[in-house]
């Protein structure tokens, strides 16, 4: 418990921890001290001087953002001197700032506008000629207007301190000073666009959003990003059913301040011209548009026929569909179709981890835990490229708490910048290097272990045994690739495990098995692209695909259903840390249906009773039936994250380490879906994939 | 090289070894022959606390401009800190009108080195840097040569004079920024970063160069130290006035008969300086105003200069002793033009870090230029004062104050000149068929 002191703020006595910054103590007491350059969590600047307040016994006005509170301090934030000072600062700022409000993207969300309304003079006395410098474009996504820039240096700090990229700097001096990108006139960076969000004015604007809308014309829908497995909340700004932009204006997600290029810009696949909007049926060798009725009847008839004669089904689930959809799919397969051949594209050995952890509690780390652990060990992962939120959390932990980081990777990674030891090891051979860190790791009170897909099978058991021997409190994150990769496993999209890692009644074929079986009768693929680089052995198989686009797998299909993307539906997804969060539907694309609805309609067509197929009802069943998913509904319903504790016991699974194949995506690739995002493909600057495992074939 | 013949009234302590005309810098042999490094050798036999005590007794105050008591500053350093300690010489000499540090470094470079050595002993430092403004390119050769001589003779490097103490010294150039004369901006520049000032606290004595305890002092301040050690702090203090010890090099420039650099005891009458040393206003003209301590100091009218020229007295008179750059202005000086020229300097030199200085100096420069051209209304004259007041005390570092203070004083004391300019102004009268775009 920190030492508390009492100080006086505008006549009121306030208690605050000793040494707290005045601006923070005031905020907690409900008093706003305005500031541009102060940004919580980043280095102090005291450059904008908006936060100057009057402190008795101190001759000059003091900046509230750097002054620590002390016992007996008497502070006035609304005295005439302070009010006049704020007016002056804003007047100074508005001398060269162009009156661009009518054409500036930031209008309506601009902190300078807000401050001027509240604290500024009504009239400007500036009658000279403004200093002007033309707007520049630094990348497809980022534009910079030096005239509008108020030089608060937030962009520099978030890029440098927050991300460790440091792509922005400052050149020239005085009124001529301006923010400058890494390559002089253009940016070479992660293109995350955080600088655009963090800019209080319209100096940094988005190349994809400019001039399209006003913020009050759009609905802002907070949902979970559909790309990697970190589970960031992204706010889609939707107007007339179309996503105009996405950003992190709502910072209430587990990602807090952070959002990467995929979350911010990787939404444009939703409105891609090639989105499937009608069902397709193969007639005379060609896929032709058909009605929902016909498509559903065709599939239902085929499924019923194959089921009646005891034929072979193969069901492939998705790493991006919701928990409700995954649960319903495996239920459909097992109870509806009577098949145990259920699998999906596995990208991390969660099952072995849970088995090895059986008997331990609290052994899985949340995104929040990564910020508070005293030490962290990263094995076989290029976090900055593949799991940017996790990378951000660890870096923030190091910045604020001096967390000790240790990395064991195949090549240089950005985390090497601050890791205490950066060891090199080939994928699959990391454990030898990890064990050399025994002495170092044992020193710390708590340890977060983040390991990538190359640590699988026995290596996972060896890792857990090693960490047990350290005598430290250890929590794990088993990295998986996509937004609901973890949910796919938790919901039992595996041939030998049912929902919650119970043993399935009978063990079925794996994904590879299905694709290699020449006698397969039906292949039902929901939101996956297994035939991207592989062939289907069974030439006579009836292939049903639920997809957004005509992918390689859809092109082989006999029936294709146009599905809704994650941004167009509700439901829940689970991130790599096991935190379940809800999606919220933003846009609607005409003609598509959420996968749950498609499966429900199919069940109805087949006369199957699999329960009511609404998100709420299915989630109710998940809460009852799936171990660890008995989470507090209010948390989910209000957009929060609840950690699931899937199982604390043995997991009866067959180890298939060879089936665990990560796509090794970077910041600019996202499986098959990423190919349809023009934004991601146009700013591709990744230095190359460090980790990628493709099928042996 | 010395600019001017010495004046018999000078009290030559720091300039003791210099002879007019001084063609070359005093080399180490001549230096040693004239009590060179004697102060240092004495300091080697003193405890560090004793060195600092002597400097405290001397009432030596920072000669760069701020006038902070030097002994007190040195006392803030924890000489037992596990971090290395550093000495930094502020040879930026950026204050307009100042030209004394160059005299000291050009002519008697070893004296500066000796001062650094004694300061180094006082705080247990292991290395020092002389930060020289980029414009003094030629000075680097002079100092490097002297430093080389000192190394050769065992006054720098390892085991100096058999004491067991190791101290290194080197030069470092600036690149043309006035702001880098501010101690924290200087340290940033020394570390290879942008010359923006730092948040204080922590002060350099706790966290300075490379986050280690550091003292930063002006060239003249360091040069006084060997004499203080040699002759005693009390002796030095008695040369000046109470709390304003010693002598200082005054840079007399402007409309004088005998401009130049003169070493005078602190407390010598300001008017006397102009007449006895400067030879009075030139060309038989009348004195209009004096800028006593560099362009940052508030201006004094002819009736306000009959005061002792020391830190306290000038502060009491509403100005400052500053860097000792005393500029004399005769009756022909256009005060509005002067105000503009001063503000133009600060607008150009503003580092741009904080809003009031960056925008304020730029705005004032434009406004004063316009007023100098006679375009404006009476409200503009008030605004110059008001905007300057808005900058005063609110900026991140003292540059904003340095821009505001002289401007406020010029407008206050010479308002009639501003009004006169505007009285003769042309007012834009639009022809009947055109519409004015802006109506003031």
């Amino acid at each position: 418990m920190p030492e508390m002191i009492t100080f006086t703020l505008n006549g009121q006595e306030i208690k605050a921890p000793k040494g707290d910054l005045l601006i923070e103590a005031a905020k907690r007491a409900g008093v706003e001290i305005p500031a541009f350059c102060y940004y919580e969590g980043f280095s102090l600047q005291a450059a904008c001087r908006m936060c100057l307040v009057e402190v008795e016994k101190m001759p000059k006005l003091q900046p509230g953002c750097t002054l620590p509170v002390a016992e007996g301090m008497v502070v006035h934030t609304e005295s005439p001197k302070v009010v006049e000072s704020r007016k002056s600062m804003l007047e100074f700022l508005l001398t060269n700032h162009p009156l661009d409000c009518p054409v500036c993207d930031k209008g309506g969300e601009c902190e300078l506008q807000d401050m001027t309304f509240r604290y500024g003079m009504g009239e400007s006395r500036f009658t000279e000629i403004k200093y002007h410098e033309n707007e520049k474009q630094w990348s497809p996504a980022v534009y910079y207007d030096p005239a509008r820039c108020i030089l608060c240096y937030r962009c520099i700090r978030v890029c440098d301190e927050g991300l460790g990229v440091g792509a922005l700097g400052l050149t020239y001096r005085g009124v001529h000073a301006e923010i400058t990108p890494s390559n002089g006139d253009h940016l070479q960076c992660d293109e995350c666009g955080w600088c655009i969000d963090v800019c209080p004015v319209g100096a940094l604007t988005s190349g994809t959003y400019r001039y399209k809308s006003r913020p009050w014309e759009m609905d802002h829908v907070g949902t979970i990003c559909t790309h990697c497995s970190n589970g960031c909340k992204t706010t889609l700004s939707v107007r007339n059913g179309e996503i105009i932009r996405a950003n992190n204006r709502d910072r209430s997600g587990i990602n807090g301040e952070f959002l990467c290029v995929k979350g911010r810009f990787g939404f444009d696949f939703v409105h891609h011209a090639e989105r499937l909007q009608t069902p397709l049926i193969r007639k005379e060798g060609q896929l032709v548009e058909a009605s929902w009725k016909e498509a559903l009847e065709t599939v239902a008839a085929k499924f019923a026929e194959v089921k009646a004669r005891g034929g072979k089904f193969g069901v492939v689930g998705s790493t991006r569909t919701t928990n409700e959809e995954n649960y319903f799919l495996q239920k459909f397969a097992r109870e509806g179709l009577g098949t145990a051949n259920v699998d999906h594209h596995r990208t991390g050995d969660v099952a072995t981890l849970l088995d090895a952890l059986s008997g331990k509690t609290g052994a899985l780390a949340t995104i929040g835990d990564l910020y508070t652990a005293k030490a962290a060990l990263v094995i076989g992962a290029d976090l900055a490229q593949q799991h940017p939120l996790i990378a951000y959390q660890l870096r923030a932990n190091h910045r604020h708490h001096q967390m000790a980081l240790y990395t064991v990777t195949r090549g240089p990674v950005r985390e090497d910048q601050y890791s205490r030891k950066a060891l090199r090891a080939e994928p699959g051979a990391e454990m030898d290097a990890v064990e050399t860190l025994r002495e170092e790791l044992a020193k710390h009170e708590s340890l977060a272990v983040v390991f990538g897909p190359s640590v699988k099978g026995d290596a996972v058991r060896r890792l857990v045994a090693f960490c047990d021997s350290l005598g430290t409190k250890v929590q794990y994150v088993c990295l998986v690739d996509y937004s609901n990769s973890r949910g796919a496993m938790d919901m039992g999209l595996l041939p030998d495990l049912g929902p919650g890692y119970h043993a399935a009644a009978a063990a079925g074929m794996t994904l590879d098995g299905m694709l290699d079986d020449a006698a397969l009768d039906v292949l039902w693929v929901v939101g996956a692209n297994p035939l991207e680089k592989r062939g289907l052995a069974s030439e006579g198989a009836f292939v049903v695909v639920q997809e957004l686009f005509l992918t390689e797998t859809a092109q082989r299909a006999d029936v294709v259903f146009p599905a809704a993307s994650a941004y167009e539906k509700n439901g829940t997804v689970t991130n790599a840390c096991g935190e379940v969060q809800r999606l919220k539907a933003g846009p609607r694309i005409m003609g598509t249906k959420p996968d749950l609805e498609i499966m429900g309609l199919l069940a109805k067509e087949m006369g199957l009773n699999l329960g009511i197929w609404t998100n709420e009802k299915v989630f109710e069943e998940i809460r009852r039936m799936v171990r660890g998913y008995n989470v507090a509904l209010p948390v989910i319903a209000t957009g929060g994250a609840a950690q699931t504790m899937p199982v604390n016991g043995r997991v009866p699974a067959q180890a298939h380490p060879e089936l665990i194949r990560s796509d090794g995506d970077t910041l600019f690739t996202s499986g098959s879906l990423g190919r349809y995002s023009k934004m991601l493909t146009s700013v591709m600057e990744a230095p190359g994939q460090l980790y990628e495992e493709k099928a042996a074939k | 090289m010395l600019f001017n013949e010495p004046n018999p009234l000078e009290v030559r302590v720091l300039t003791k070894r210099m002879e007019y005309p001084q063609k070359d810098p005093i080399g180490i042999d001549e230096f040693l022959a004239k009590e060179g490094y004697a102060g240092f050798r004495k300091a080697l036999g003193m405890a560090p606390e004793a060195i600092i005590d002597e400097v405290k007794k001397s009432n030596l105050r920072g000669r760069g401009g701020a006038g902070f008591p030097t002994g007190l500053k040195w006392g803030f350093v924890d000489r037992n800190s596990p971090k290395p300690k550093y000495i930094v010489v502020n040879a930026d000499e950026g204050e307009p009108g100042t030209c004394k540090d160059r005299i000291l470094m050009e002519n008697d470079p070893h004296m500066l080195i000796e001062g650094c050595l004694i300061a180094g002993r006082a705080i247990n430092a292991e290395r020092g840097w002389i930060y020289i403004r980029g414009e003094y390119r030629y000075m680097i050769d002079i100092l490097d040569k002297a430093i080389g001589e000192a190394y050769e003779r065992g006054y720098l490097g390892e085991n100096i004079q058999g004491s067991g103490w190791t101290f290194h010294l080197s030069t470092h150039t600036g690149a043309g920024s006035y702001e880098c004369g501010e101690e924290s901006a200087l340290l940033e520049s020394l570390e290879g970063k942008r010359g923006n000032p730092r948040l204080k606290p922590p002060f350099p004595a706790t966290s300075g160069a490379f986050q280690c305890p550091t003292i930063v002092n002006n060239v003249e301040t360091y040069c006084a130290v060997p004499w203080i050690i040699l002759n005693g702090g009390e002796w030095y203090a008695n040369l000046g006035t109470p709390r304003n010890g010693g002598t200082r090099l005054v840079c007399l420039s402007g409309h004088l008969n005998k401009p130049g650099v003169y070493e005078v005891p602190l407390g010598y009458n300001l008017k006397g300086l102009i007449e006895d040393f400067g030879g009075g206003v030139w060309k038989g003209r009348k004195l209009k105003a004096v800028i006593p301590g560099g362009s940052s100091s508030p201006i004094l009218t002819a009736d306000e200069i009959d005061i002792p020229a020391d830190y306290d007295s000038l502060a009491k008179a509403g100005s400052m002793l500053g860097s000792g750059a005393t500029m004399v202005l005769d009756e022909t000086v256009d005060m509005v033009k002067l105000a503009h020229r001063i503000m133009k300097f600060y607008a150009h030199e503003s580092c741009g870090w904080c809003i009031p200085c960056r925008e304020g100096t730029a705005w004032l420069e434009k406004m004063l230029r316009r007023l100098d051209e006679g375009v404006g209304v009476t409200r503009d004259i008030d605004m110059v004062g008001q905007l300057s007041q808005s900058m005063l005390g609110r900026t991140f570092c003292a540059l904003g104050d340095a821009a505001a203070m002289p401007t406020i004083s010029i407008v206050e004391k010479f308002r009639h000149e501003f009004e006169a300019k505007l009285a003769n102004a042309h007012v834009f009268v639009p022809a009947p068929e055109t519409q004015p775009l802006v109506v003031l």
Side-chain angles (χ1 to χ4, degrees), chain B residues 385-399:
Chain B
Q386 284 162 11
L387 291 176
S388 304
Q389 287 288 353
S390 293
M391 282 202 303
L392 200 56
R394 303 205 184 138
T395 51
F396 190 86
C397 82
L399 194 150

Side-chain angles (χ1 to χ4, degrees), chain A residues 317-456:
Chain A
S318 169
T319 52
R320 290 192 221 246
T321 50
T322 63
N323 290 324
E324 291 81 354
E325 286 160 350
N326 296 344
Y327 182 84
F328 196 82
L329 178 62
Q330 63 83 34
K331 192 176 180 187
F332 198 131
R334 292 185 163 111
E335 292 177 29
L337 300 175
T339 179
N341 304 335
V342 179
D343 204 354
H344 71 285
H345 173 197
R346 311 182 203 189
T347 56
D349 204 350
V350 176
T352 309
L353 175 66
L354 293 173
D355 190 39
L357 287 179
S358 68
K360 289 193 219 329
T361 49
L364 296 173
T366 59
I367 292 289
D369 289 332
L370 294 176
Y371 178 65
T372 53
K374 294 278 189 281
L377 170 62
V378 176
I379 311 172
D382 187 355
L383 293 178
Q385 288 297 319
Q386 302 176 278
H387 296 276
L389 172 59
I390 294 180
Y392 178 73
Q393 289 293 89
L394 293 178
R395 182 175 290 269
N397 191 355
H398 171 76
R399 258 192 313 125
H400 294 158
H401 314 134
Q402 291 76 51
M403 181 267 292
L405 180 71
Y406 304 89
T407 52
V408 178
T409 54
R410 166 192 245 172
V413 291
R414 196 179 292 157
E415 283 64 42
D416 294 347
Q417 276 173 11
Y418 68 96
S419 69
R420 288 214 188 157
K421 285 228 159 65
L423 304 177
R424 299 278 172 259
E426 280 299 302
E430 290 100 346
M431 280 314 298
D432 287 331
V434 170
E435 286 180 358
T436 65
L437 294 169
R438 175 186 297 279
E439 227 186 283
E440 280 275 356
L441 296 173
K443 282 193 288 198
H444 301 286
E445 270 172 42
S446 60
L447 177 67
V449 177
V450 178
F451 62 93
S454 57
V455 181
K456 52 193 177 181

Side-chain angles (χ1 to χ4, degrees), chain A residues 573-622:
Chain A
V573 290
T574 309
N575 74 357
C577 300
E579 294 169 283
V580 63
Q581 302 176 92
R582 66 127 194 237
L583 300 176
K584 200 158 176 229
R588 266 324 278 264
I589 302 297
M590 265 198 356
T592 64
K593 290 189 195 298
D595 290 288
L596 184 61
E597 197 179 332
I598 299 174
M599 292 187 275
L601 288 171
L602 201 52
K604 180 162 159 227
E605 193 64 39
M606 289 180 70
L608 299 169
N609 179 13
L610 298 170
I612 301 176
W613 34 270
T614 61
N615 285 312
E616 293 75 24
K617 283 284 181 237
V618 179
F619 194 63
E620 242 180 66
E621 192 175 331
I622 291 174

Side-chain angles (χ1 to χ4, degrees), chain A residues 72 142 185 199 218 225 229 250-251 274 332 369 429 438 449 581 588 615 651-652 686 695:
Chain A
V142 185
D185 61 350
C199 180
M218 304 185 287
C225 175
S229 66
D250 168 358
R251 295 181 225 154
E274 291 171 36
F332 198 131
D369 289 332
R438 175 186 297 279
V449 177
Q581 302 176 92
R588 266 324 278 264
N615 285 312
V651 174

Side-chain angles (χ1 to χ4, degrees), chain B residues 82-303:
Chain B
K83 291 187 184 173
K85 275 72 62 189
Y86 298 124
I87 298 287
V88 172
V89 181
N90 186 343
D92 195 61
E93 191 155 63
E95 189 67 28
T98 319
C99 50
K100 59 178 176 71
D101 294 334
R102 60 177 292 187
I103 298 295
L104 294 169
M105 289 189 285
E106 264 176 49
N107 298 309
D108 199 353
H110 281 278
M111 180 170 58
L112 174 60
I113 298 175
E114 192 179 356
C116 293
L117 284 165
I118 298 172
R121 282 298 281 182
I123 66 161
N124 198 15
E126 61 177 50
R127 131 176 310 285
W129 291 279
I130 304 174
Y131 184 95
I132 314 182
R133 64 182 304 185
E135 292 89 334
Y136 281 177
R137 199 136 290 267
Y138 69 97
M139 194 79 73
I140 300 168
D141 295 330
I142 295 174
L143 282 170
D144 281 347
K145 180 151 178 262
I147 288 173
E149 285 180 332
Y151 269 101
E152 261 174 58
R153 302 293 186 90
Y155 283 99
L156 283 173
E158 298 182 18
N159 195 16
I160 295 176
Q161 297 297 300
S163 65
W165 181 50
T166 299
F167 185 76
H168 292 286
L169 189 65
S170 54
T171 52
H172 181 101
T173 0
S177 164
Y178 167 73
E179 176 63 18
C180 288
E182 199 276 339
E183 67 177 1
S184 63
L186 189 155
L187 292 172
E188 289 285 288
S189 175
L190 185 71
E191 293 181 19
K193 301 186 269 188
R194 264 179 83 85
N196 287 137
R198 293 176 178 174
L199 276 172
K200 288 183 271 201
F203 291 89
T206 325
S207 174
F210 307 101
Q211 282 142 36
C212 299
T214 309
I215 50 173
V216 184
N217 273 121
N218 178 261
V219 169
E220 193 183 349
T221 314
Y222 283 114
C223 288
V225 172
W227 304 105
I228 291 171
I229 299 300
L230 206 51
N231 302 320
E234 222 177 288
W235 160 82
Y236 189 80
N238 290 336
L239 292 172
T241 54
R243 281 181 311 282
N244 295 266
T247 60
R248 87 154 312 164
L249 273 71
V250 175
C251 316
L252 284 175
S253 67
H255 301 152
L256 293 167
N257 285 315
K258 302 224 207 102
V261 178
Y262 301 96
E263 188 170 2
V264 305
L266 255 83
Y268 200 101
N269 189 285
L270 181 58
K271 191 163 180 200
L273 279 178
I274 296 170
E275 281 160 14
D276 305 340
F277 291 87
V281 181
W282 70 349
K283 300 188 181 170
R285 295 204 188 135
K286 269 179 44 197
L287 177 67
K288 186 176 204 175
V290 176
I291 302 176
S295 65
S296 311
S297 52
I299 206 165
L300 296 171
T301 58
D303 341 306

Side-chain angles (χ1 to χ4, degrees), chain A residues 48-245:
Chain A
C48 71
R49 314 312 276 179
M50 276 301 289
C51 65
L52 290 176
V53 293
E54 206 175 328
V55 181
E56 283 182 21
K57 302 213 189 101
M58 291 179 128
K60 298 201 291 192
L61 294 179
Q62 297 296 317
C65 67
T66 53
L67 186 66
V69 291
E71 181 71 43
M73 195 181 259
V74 182
V75 180
H76 301 281
T77 67
E78 300 295 332
S79 68
K81 232 179 17 171
V82 175
V83 168
E84 190 273 320
S85 166
R86 286 183 191 148
K87 286 199 173 127
S88 295
M89 294 307 140
L90 286 167
E91 188 184 26
F92 280 136
L93 208 45
L94 290 167
T95 57
N96 286 314
H97 190 90
L99 292 183
D100 277 356
C101 299
V103 298
C104 174
D105 280 346
K106 205 77 181 184
E109 328 180 276
C110 173
E111 290 183 46
L112 183 58
Q113 277 183 337
D114 294 343
M115 293 261 214
T116 307
F117 267 104
R118 188 181 282 190
Y119 301 112
M121 293 176 157
E123 182 198 328
S124 174
R125 301 178 292 175
F126 182 79
T127 52
E128 320 303 325
I129 297 180
K130 289 181 187 272
Y131 167 69
H132 180 78
E133 181 72 27
N134 286 334
E135 190 185 34
K136 309 174 198 247
Q137 181 175 10
W138 287 345
S139 81
V142 185
Y143 281 73
Y144 176 67
D145 191 329
R148 293 181 191 168
C149 181
I150 60 169
L151 292 170
C152 68
Y153 316 114
R154 285 187 192 172
C155 53
I156 297 179
R157 283 177 283 156
V158 299
C159 190
D160 185 13
E161 298 168 26
L163 297 172
V165 173
L168 295 172
L170 195 57
T171 49
Y172 309 126
R173 72 181 186 209
V175 271
H176 306 272
E178 58 182 60
I179 311 295
T180 311
S182 53
N183 291 40
D185 61 350
H186 67 278
L187 273 172
Q188 183 139 355
C189 63
D190 287 355
E191 301 282 350
C192 68
W194 192 1
C195 54
I196 299 168
D197 268 7
V198 90
C199 180
V201 298
L204 286 164
T205 50
S206 162
T208 61
Y209 166 63
R210 43 196 2 232
Y211 306 137
K212 284 189 180 167
S213 179
R214 285 298 189 189
W216 59 83
E217 292 177 343
M218 304 185 287
D219 287 323
H220 306 286
V221 179
T223 187
I224 306 302
C225 175
T226 190
H227 293 283
C228 86
S229 66
N230 291 180
C232 296
K233 182 180 283 192
T234 176
T235 308
L236 307 174
S237 297
V238 182
R239 189 184 61 183
N240 296 337
E242 189 189 340
I243 306 176
I244 309 290
R245 71 169 184 197

